[in-house]
Coordinates of all heavy atoms in Angstrom, one line a residue:
E258 N 113.9 -76.2 81.6 CA 114.2 -75.2 82.7 C 113.0 -75.0 83.6 O 113.1 -74.9 84.8 CB 114.7 -73.9 82.1 CG 114.9 -72.8 83.1 CD 116.1 -73.0 84.0 OE1 116.9 -74.0 83.7 OE2 116.2 -72.3 85.0
A259 N 111.8 -75.0 83.0 CA 110.6 -74.7 83.8 C 110.4 -75.9 84.7 O 109.9 -75.7 85.9 CB 109.4 -74.6 82.8
W260 N 110.6 -77.1 84.3 CA 110.5 -78.3 85.1 C 111.4 -78.3 86.3 O 111.0 -78.6 87.4 CB 110.7 -79.6 84.3 CG 110.6 -80.9 85.1 CD1 111.5 -81.8 85.3 CD2 109.4 -81.4 85.7 NE1 111.1 -82.8 86.1 CE2 109.8 -82.6 86.4 CE3 108.1 -80.9 85.9 CZ2 108.9 -83.3 87.1 CZ3 107.2 -81.7 86.6 CH2 107.6 -82.9 87.2
Q261 N 112.7 -77.9 86.1 CA 113.7 -77.8 87.1 C 113.2 -76.8 88.2 O 113.3 -77.0 89.4 CB 115.0 -77.4 86.6 CG 115.7 -78.5 85.7 CD 115.9 -79.8 86.4 OE1 116.3 -79.8 87.6 NE2 115.7 -80.9 85.8
A262 N 112.7 -75.6 87.7 CA 112.3 -74.6 88.6 C 111.0 -75.0 89.4 O 110.8 -74.5 90.5 CB 112.1 -73.3 87.8
W263 N 110.2 -75.8 88.7 CA 109.0 -76.3 89.4 C 109.4 -77.2 90.6 O 108.8 -77.1 91.6 CB 108.1 -77.0 88.4 CG 106.9 -77.7 89.0 CD1 106.8 -78.9 89.5 CD2 105.6 -77.1 89.1 NE1 105.6 -79.2 89.9 CE2 104.8 -78.1 89.7 CE3 105.1 -75.9 88.8 CZ2 103.4 -77.9 90.0 CZ3 103.7 -75.7 89.1 CH2 102.9 -76.6 89.7
Q264 N 110.3 -78.1 90.3 CA 110.7 -79.0 91.4 C 111.5 -78.3 92.5 O 111.4 -78.7 93.6 CB 111.6 -80.1 90.7 CG 110.9 -81.1 89.8 CD 111.7 -82.2 89.3 OE1 112.8 -81.9 88.8 NE2 111.3 -83.4 89.4
H265 N 112.3 -77.3 92.1 CA 113.1 -76.6 93.1 C 112.9 -75.1 93.0 O 113.7 -74.4 92.4 CB 114.6 -77.0 92.9 CG 114.8 -78.4 92.9 ND1 114.8 -79.3 94.0 CD2 115.2 -79.3 91.9 CE1 115.1 -80.5 93.7 NE2 115.3 -80.5 92.4
P266 N 111.8 -74.6 93.5 CA 111.5 -73.1 93.4 C 112.7 -72.3 94.0 O 113.2 -72.7 95.1 CB 110.2 -73.0 94.2 CG 109.6 -74.3 94.2 CD 110.7 -75.3 94.2
R267 N 113.0 -71.2 93.4 CA 114.1 -70.4 93.9 C 113.7 -68.9 93.9 O 112.9 -68.5 93.1 CB 115.4 -70.6 93.0 CG 115.1 -70.5 91.5 CD 116.4 -70.8 90.8 NE 116.2 -70.8 89.3 CZ 116.1 -71.8 88.6 NH1 116.1 -73.1 89.1 NH2 115.9 -71.7 87.3
P268 N 114.2 -68.2 94.9 CA 113.8 -66.8 95.0 C 114.3 -66.0 93.7 O 115.3 -66.3 93.1 CB 114.5 -66.3 96.2 CG 115.7 -67.3 96.4 CD 115.2 -68.6 95.9
I269 N 113.6 -64.9 93.4 CA 114.0 -64.1 92.3 C 114.7 -62.8 92.8 O 114.2 -62.0 93.6 CB 112.7 -63.6 91.5 CG1 112.0 -64.9 91.0 CG2 113.1 -62.7 90.4 CD1 110.7 -64.5 90.4
G270 N 116.0 -62.7 92.4 CA 116.8 -61.5 92.9 C 116.7 -60.4 91.9 O 116.6 -60.5 90.7
M271 N 116.7 -59.2 92.5 CA 116.7 -57.9 91.7 C 115.6 -57.9 90.6 O 115.9 -57.7 89.4 CB 118.1 -57.6 91.1 CG 119.2 -57.6 92.1 SD 120.8 -57.2 91.4 CE 120.6 -55.5 90.9
P272 N 114.4 -58.2 91.0 CA 113.3 -58.4 89.9 C 113.1 -57.2 89.1 O 112.9 -57.3 87.9 CB 112.1 -58.8 90.8 CG 112.4 -58.2 92.1 CD 113.8 -58.3 92.3
F273 N 113.0 -56.0 89.7 CA 112.6 -54.9 88.9 C 113.7 -54.4 88.0 O 113.5 -53.9 86.9 CB 112.2 -53.7 89.9 CG 110.9 -54.1 90.6 CD1 111.0 -54.4 92.0 CD2 109.7 -54.2 90.0 CE1 109.9 -54.8 92.7 CE2 108.6 -54.6 90.7 CZ 108.6 -54.9 92.0
E274 N 115.0 -54.6 88.4 CA 116.1 -54.3 87.5 C 116.0 -55.2 86.3 O 116.2 -54.8 85.1 CB 117.4 -54.4 88.2 CG 117.7 -53.3 89.2 CD 117.1 -53.7 90.6 OE1 116.3 -54.6 90.6 OE2 117.5 -53.0 91.5
G275 N 115.8 -56.5 86.6 CA 115.7 -57.5 85.5 C 114.5 -57.2 84.5 O 114.6 -57.3 83.3
I276 N 113.4 -56.8 85.1 CA 112.2 -56.5 84.3 C 112.4 -55.3 83.5 O 112.0 -55.2 82.3 CB 111.0 -56.3 85.2 CG1 110.5 -57.7 85.9 CG2 109.8 -55.7 84.4 CD1 109.5 -57.5 86.9
G277 N 113.2 -54.3 84.0 CA 113.5 -53.1 83.3 C 114.3 -53.4 82.0 O 114.1 -52.9 80.9
L278 N 115.4 -54.2 82.2 CA 116.2 -54.6 81.1 C 115.4 -55.4 80.1 O 115.6 -55.2 78.8 CB 117.4 -55.5 81.6 CG 118.5 -54.7 82.3 CD1 119.5 -55.7 82.9 CD2 119.2 -53.7 81.4
N279 N 114.6 -56.3 80.5 CA 113.7 -57.1 79.6 C 112.8 -56.2 78.9 O 112.5 -56.4 77.7 CB 113.0 -58.1 80.4 CG 112.7 -59.4 79.6 OD1 113.7 -60.0 79.2 ND2 111.5 -59.8 79.5
A280 N 112.2 -55.2 79.5 CA 111.3 -54.2 78.9 C 112.0 -53.5 77.7 O 111.4 -53.3 76.7 CB 110.7 -53.3 79.9
L281 N 113.2 -53.0 78.0 CA 114.0 -52.3 77.0 C 114.2 -53.2 75.7 O 114.0 -52.8 74.6 CB 115.3 -51.8 77.5 CG 116.3 -51.1 76.6 CD1 115.6 -49.9 76.0 CD2 117.6 -50.7 77.3
A282 N 114.6 -54.5 76.0 CA 114.8 -55.4 74.9 C 113.5 -55.7 74.2 O 113.5 -55.8 72.9 CB 115.3 -56.8 75.5
T283 N 112.4 -55.7 74.9 CA 111.1 -55.9 74.2 C 110.7 -54.8 73.3 O 110.2 -55.0 72.2 CB 110.0 -56.1 75.3 OG1 110.3 -57.2 76.1 CG2 108.6 -56.4 74.7
L284 N 111.0 -53.6 73.7 CA 110.7 -52.4 72.9 C 111.5 -52.4 71.6 O 111.0 -52.1 70.5 CB 111.0 -51.1 73.7 CG 110.0 -50.7 74.8 CD1 110.5 -49.5 75.6 CD2 108.6 -50.5 74.2
I285 N 112.8 -52.8 71.7 CA 113.6 -53.0 70.5 C 113.1 -54.0 69.6 O 113.0 -53.8 68.4 CB 115.1 -53.3 70.9 CG1 115.7 -52.2 71.7 CG2 115.9 -53.7 69.7 CD1 117.1 -52.5 72.3
N286 N 112.7 -55.2 70.1 CA 112.1 -56.2 69.3 C 110.8 -55.8 68.6 O 110.5 -56.1 67.5 CB 111.8 -57.5 70.2 CG 112.9 -58.4 70.2 OD1 113.9 -58.3 69.4 ND2 112.9 -59.4 71.1
A287 N 110.0 -55.0 69.4 CA 108.7 -54.6 68.8 C 108.9 -53.7 67.6 O 108.3 -53.8 66.6 CB 107.9 -53.8 69.9
G288 N 109.8 -52.7 67.8 CA 110.1 -51.8 66.7 C 110.7 -52.5 65.5 O 110.3 -52.3 64.3
W289 N 111.7 -53.4 65.7 CA 112.3 -54.1 64.6 C 111.4 -55.1 63.9 O 111.5 -55.3 62.7 CB 113.6 -54.8 65.1 CG 114.4 -55.2 63.9 CD1 114.7 -56.5 63.6 CD2 115.1 -54.4 62.9 NE1 115.5 -56.5 62.4 CE2 115.7 -55.3 62.0 CE3 115.2 -53.0 62.7 CZ2 116.4 -54.8 60.9 CZ3 115.9 -52.5 61.6 CH2 116.5 -53.4 60.7
S290 N 110.5 -55.7 64.7 CA 109.6 -56.7 64.1 C 108.7 -55.9 63.1 O 108.3 -56.4 62.0 CB 108.7 -57.4 65.1 OG 107.8 -56.5 65.8
A291 N 108.2 -54.7 63.4 CA 107.4 -53.9 62.5 C 108.1 -53.6 61.3 O 107.6 -53.6 60.1 CB 106.9 -52.6 63.2
V292 N 109.4 -53.2 61.4 CA 110.3 -52.9 60.2 C 110.4 -54.2 59.3 O 110.3 -54.1 58.1 CB 111.7 -52.5 60.7 CG1 112.6 -52.4 59.5 CG2 111.6 -51.1 61.4
L293 N 110.7 -55.3 59.9 CA 110.9 -56.6 59.2 C 109.6 -57.0 58.4 O 109.6 -57.4 57.3 CB 111.3 -57.7 60.1 CG 112.8 -57.6 60.6 CD1 113.1 -58.8 61.5 CD2 113.8 -57.6 59.4
L294 N 108.4 -56.9 59.1 CA 107.2 -57.3 58.5 C 106.8 -56.4 57.3 O 106.4 -56.9 56.3 CB 106.0 -57.3 59.5 CG 106.1 -58.4 60.6 CD1 105.1 -58.2 61.7 CD2 105.9 -59.8 60.0
S295 N 107.1 -55.1 57.5 CA 106.8 -54.2 56.4 C 107.8 -54.5 55.2 O 107.3 -54.5 54.0 CB 107.0 -52.8 56.9 OG 106.8 -51.8 55.8
A296 N 109.0 -54.7 55.5 CA 110.0 -54.9 54.4 C 109.8 -56.3 53.8 O 109.9 -56.4 52.6 CB 111.4 -54.9 55.0
G297 N 109.4 -57.3 54.6 CA 109.1 -58.6 54.0 C 107.9 -58.6 53.0 O 108.0 -59.2 52.0
R298 N 106.9 -57.8 53.4 CA 105.7 -57.7 52.4 C 106.1 -56.9 51.2 O 105.7 -57.3 50.1 CB 104.5 -57.1 53.2 CG 103.8 -58.0 54.2 CD 102.5 -57.3 54.6 NE 102.8 -56.2 55.5 CZ 102.9 -56.2 56.8 NH1 102.8 -57.4 57.4 NH2 103.1 -55.1 57.5
R299 N 106.9 -55.9 51.4 CA 107.3 -55.0 50.2 C 108.2 -55.8 49.3 O 108.1 -55.6 48.1 CB 107.9 -53.7 50.8 CG 108.4 -52.8 49.7 CD 108.7 -51.4 50.2 NE 109.5 -51.5 51.4 CZ 110.9 -51.6 51.3 NH1 111.5 -51.6 50.2 NH2 111.6 -51.6 52.4
L300 N 109.2 -56.5 49.9 CA 110.2 -57.2 49.1 C 109.7 -58.6 48.7 O 110.5 -59.3 48.0 CB 111.5 -57.2 49.8 CG 112.1 -55.9 50.1 CD1 113.4 -56.0 51.0 CD2 112.5 -55.1 48.9

């Protein structure tokens, strides 16, 4: 995908809405990764 975008650059639509959704997903991942690492060591 990166190679295709490199050959044919395309504009980014609604960037801040997309970044906001991605940030929310990242927060969920951060919290759950801490839970999994703790549980993995304990179990």
